[in-house]
Amino acid sequence: MDRDAVVIGKTGTPFDLPIERGKLREFIRAVGETSVNPDDPEAVIPPTFLATALWWEHDDSNPLRAANLDMKRMLHVEQEFVFHGAPPAVGAVLTGQSRIAKTWEKHGKRSGDMTFVSVTTEFRNEAGEVVAEGTWTEAHISHAVAN
Amino acid sequence: MAKISIKSVPPPSAVGPLTVTDFVVYQGASGDLASIHHDFEVARLAGYDMPFAPGMYPAGILASWATAWLGARNLRRFKVRFVSMVWPGDVLTCEGSIAFVTEDERETTIELELTCRSQQAVTLLGWATFVIPAAETT
């Protein structure tokens, strides 16, 4: 990882995330969500649905891209989603933008030096209001995960 | 709309045994297409015996245990910590308990502590906050 590229506050390019009924149906089936009926005209997204941003992000939407992450040394350690009011419903078109929120170091006995990085994605509705945030926390460890 | 009983915590639920096909279905749904989660050769070259689940897949299963009870529309926060990997053949048992409740005339706020275990180990810890309108609770 190029640590000089991990600059707090650095943002990626915004991307659209339309809440599509077909994608909602597919996701609900994949995770076994039972409280949402995708045929309901007001169906909301399940708690982790914003992970589907992966389908919509542009190459430069992830502000960590310039850090040349070696995925063999990266561990996804935490994930959080916060909703300001009811989660978005089918038909909404959200705009997401990610920023490097936090980075910190830790020394582990078994894993050696670790660098943690949190990237927070803000999701806004058509009116420009922040309706949700997703925070993705990765640990970069000094030896490869596979060892 | 069925009323929600906030006092009766549902029993643990079991999902699985999970298959690589389940991982692929989640990967297609989520857009995490990393081959280490379905290609045995890629997994072996990386030092694993077989593919392992993308962490967000069991995270989604754990979230579903909580929303089956309190409703996805009422969710306000969901957080998971990834503790150990999930493998083909794992049966995941999800459960939760109430950590904190506040109530006023309009709504009830419930904070849950969640756990997802395989046969071998704790795989995930989770935390969720739900806000439920008074009219929907019993």
Side-chain angles (χ1 to χ4, degrees), chain A residues 49-99:
Chain A
F49 181 87
L50 293 174
T52 63
L54 286 167
W55 277 123
W56 296 97
E57 285 170 326
H58 307 295
D59 284 347
D60 51 1
S61 289
N62 184 340
L64 277 181
R65 185 176 160 84
N68 293 315
L69 304 179
D70 174 357
M71 292 318 286
K72 285 192 181 129
R73 293 174 187 273
M74 298 299 289
L75 281 174
H76 191 185
V77 291
E78 276 186 6
Q79 180 72 42
E80 181 174 32
F81 295 103
V82 173
F83 298 96
H84 304 290
V90 70
V93 179
L94 307 183
T95 302
Q97 186 171 25
S98 301
R99 67 172 193 280

Side-chain angles (χ1 to χ4, degrees), chain B residues 5-84:
Chain B
S5 171
I6 58 171
K7 291 193 179 69
S8 48
V9 181
S13 70
V15 177
L18 301 180
T19 64
V20 174
T21 302
D22 294 325
F23 301 172
V24 169
V25 169
Y26 179 78
Q27 289 196 272
S30 71
D32 172 0
L33 305 180
S35 53
I36 202 161
H37 301 307
H38 56 260
D39 186 319
F40 279 74
E41 197 53 36
V42 168
R44 278 191 202 108
L45 284 172
Y48 301 99
D49 292 337
M50 55 184 137
F52 55 89
M56 289 307 292
Y57 175 44
I61 292 173
L62 183 59
S64 295
W65 180 86
T67 55
W69 172 29
L70 298 175
R73 68 191 176 283
N74 297 321
L75 183 92
R76 296 297 178 268
R77 175 176 173 263
F78 180 75
K79 179 177 175 178
V80 283
R81 184 170 300 152
F82 301 100
V83 180
S84 65

Side-chain angles (χ1 to χ4, degrees), chain A residues 19 56 102 110-111 113:
Chain A
I19 311 293
W56 296 97
K102 211 164 122 183
R110 282 182 301 168
S111 46
D113 290 328

